């Protein structure tokens, strides 16, 4: 098979771009072509004309993050404090609270929280841990998400996962039946919560806390949690908790300045 000329390669890339592919997709195509095509003694994707063409693609269809900041986790934490005491909350609000605490204090995706199983839970007076027995996004050969552990938070029991979790387990004991998934729906018929349900619960909490959902998505809890932790603990701690292998993943996609301006400011307590 003869290698294409640089003109033929550029024509092919132009046709791809004409189909509406984003810059990110075009860059992926360039990388793939570089593994099998060599032009002028170098990988096709490194040819100066190809790199210039890709720069032009970026100018026309820039691949930019949806936002360059993340909401302040204090907004949600203050709202969760207002949902107290846990033992007296309606099951709906108690479910909202435990779900959001698990997400924020673990830095995990909703997928992982959805997989929490009471059979893989070890609960003591001051600590709770969960082993993840299913494949998640981070799972690769020889690598799996680490055990998720939480410690009691004595300074403020309103934000203590152990306190809220024990209240949740007690409240759901009579409706759990044979369901082993930790999170249950709070309406009849009671059953294991779906990922869609968890997403809706997160959306409801963010709205009540004052987070602008026209800017941020429910998945932004991961960025909010890890960005807040970024200034308080070593990067290695964040990467282990979140299940990242590369520092660049955190730096590129999750480490963002915290927005304390605009509508957020009115929700921040002294």
């Amino acid at each position: 098979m003869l290698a294409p000329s640089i003109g033929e390669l550029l024509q092919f890339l132009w046709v791809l771009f004409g189909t509406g592919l984003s810059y990110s997709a075009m860059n992926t195509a360039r990388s793939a072509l570089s593994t099998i095509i060599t032009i002028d003694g170098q990988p096709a994707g490194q040819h100066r004309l190809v790199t210039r063409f890709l720069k032009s693609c970026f100018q026309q269809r820039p691949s930019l993050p949806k936002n360059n900041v993340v909401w302040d986790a204090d907004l949600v934490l203050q709202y969760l404090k207002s949902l107290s005491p846990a033992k007296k909350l309606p099951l709906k609000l108690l479910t909202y609270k435990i779900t959001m605490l698990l997400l924020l204090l673990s830095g995990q995706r909703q997928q992982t929280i959805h997989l929490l199983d009471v059979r893989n839970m070890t609960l003591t007076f001051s600590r709770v841990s969960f082993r993840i027995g299913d494949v998640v996004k981070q799972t690769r050969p020889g690598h799996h998400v680490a055990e998720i552990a939480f410690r009691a938070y004595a300074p403020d029991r309103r934000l203590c996962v152990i306190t809220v979790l024990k209240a949740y387990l007690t409240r759901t004991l009579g409706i759990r039946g044979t369901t082993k998934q930790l999170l249950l729906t709070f309406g009849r018929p009671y059953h294991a919560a779906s990922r869609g349900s968890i997403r809706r619960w997160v959306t409801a909490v963010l709205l009540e806390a004052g987070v602008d959902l026209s800017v941020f998505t429910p998945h932004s809890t991961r960025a909010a949690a890890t960005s807040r932790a970024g200034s308080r603990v070593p990067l290695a701690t964040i990467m282990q908790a979140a299940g990242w292998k590369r520092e660049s993943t955190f730096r590129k996609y999750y480490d963002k300045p915290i927005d304390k301006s605009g509508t957020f400011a009115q929700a921040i307590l002294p």
Side-chain angles (χ1 to χ4, degrees):
M1 178 179 175
L2 296 176
S5 66
I6 184 62
E8 292 171 329
L9 179 60
L10 289 174
Q11 184 177 19
F12 174 71
L13 291 174
W14 175 252
V15 171
L16 282 182
F17 191 65
T19 64
L21 291 182
S22 65
Y23 168 77
S24 179
M26 292 296 298
N27 210 25
T28 300
R30 175 177 66 169
S31 297
L33 291 170
S34 292
T35 64
I36 58 175
I37 298 175
T38 300
I39 296 178
D40 296 339
Q42 61 183 336
Q46 296 179 16
H47 193 283
R48 62 183 182 83
L49 293 181
V50 174
T51 58
R52 288 181 62 184
F53 178 79
L54 264 292
K55 287 180 180 178
S56 176
C57 292
F58 179 80
Q59 292 298 322
Q60 294 188 52
R61 295 181 196 149
S63 179
L64 301 173
K66 185 175 181 179
N67 45 66
N68 294 316
V69 296
V70 70
W71 45 270
D72 187 358
D74 276 341
L75 285 175
V76 174
L77 294 177
Q78 292 294 345
Y79 173 67
L80 295 180
K81 284 183 182 181
S82 72
L83 303 180
S84 300
K87 290 182 178 180
K88 296 184 179 181
L89 288 175
L91 181 57
K92 176 180 177 179
L93 294 181
L94 182 58
T95 302
Y96 284 179
K97 183 167 185 173
I98 188 58
T99 301
M100 186 57 76
L101 281 177
L102 290 170
L103 281 167
L104 284 179
L105 301 186
S106 68
Q108 290 292 328
R109 293 182 175 86
Q110 293 172 30
Q111 176 199 21
T112 307
I113 301 304
H114 169 256
L115 294 173
L116 296 184
D117 190 314
V118 294
R119 293 171 298 184
N120 296 328
M121 176 181 69
T122 302
L123 177 61
T124 66
F125 176 76
S126 60
R127 186 180 187 273
V128 63
S129 62
F130 294 91
R131 291 175 289 103
I132 307 302
D134 298 87
V135 173
V136 295
K137 186 174 181 179
Q138 303 102 304
T139 302
R140 300 181 297 278
H143 177 79
H144 186 53
V145 64
E147 177 184 80
I148 302 173
F150 306 91
R151 294 188 179 278
Y153 185 58
D156 193 339
R157 291 293 179 180
R158 294 173 298 175
L159 296 178
C160 176
V161 170
I162 308 300
T163 300
V164 180
L165 179 60
K166 287 181 177 179
Y168 182 75
L169 292 172
T170 299
R171 187 74 61 84
T172 57
L173 182 62
I175 63 174
R176 181 170 296 278
T178 59
T179 303
K180 302 306 179 185
Q181 182 178 313
L182 174 64
L183 296 177
L184 307 177
T185 56
F186 45 75
R188 296 178 183 275
Y190 304 109
H191 54 80
S194 66
R195 290 173 63 179
S197 293
I198 293 174
R199 183 181 177 87
R200 288 191 294 273
W201 301 345
V202 172
T203 300
V205 172
L206 294 182
L207 281 172
E208 289 296 324
V211 175
D212 187 353
L213 290 185
S214 67
V215 178
F216 302 107
T217 68
H219 178 64
S220 61
T221 54
R222 188 161 160 91
T226 53
S227 293
R228 180 182 175 90
S231 62
R232 303 183 177 201
V233 298
L235 179 58
T237 301
I238 298 173
M239 293 178 63
Q240 181 180 9
W244 293 318
K245 186 177 180 180
R246 298 182 180 86
E247 177 182 337
S248 59
T249 302
F250 170 61
R251 297 300 187 195
K252 184 176 181 179
Y253 299 106
Y254 295 95
D255 187 16
K256 300 180 180 181
I258 296 173
D259 190 343
K260 293 180 178 287
S261 62
T263 56
F264 292 167
Q266 63 188 357
I268 298 177
L269 299 178

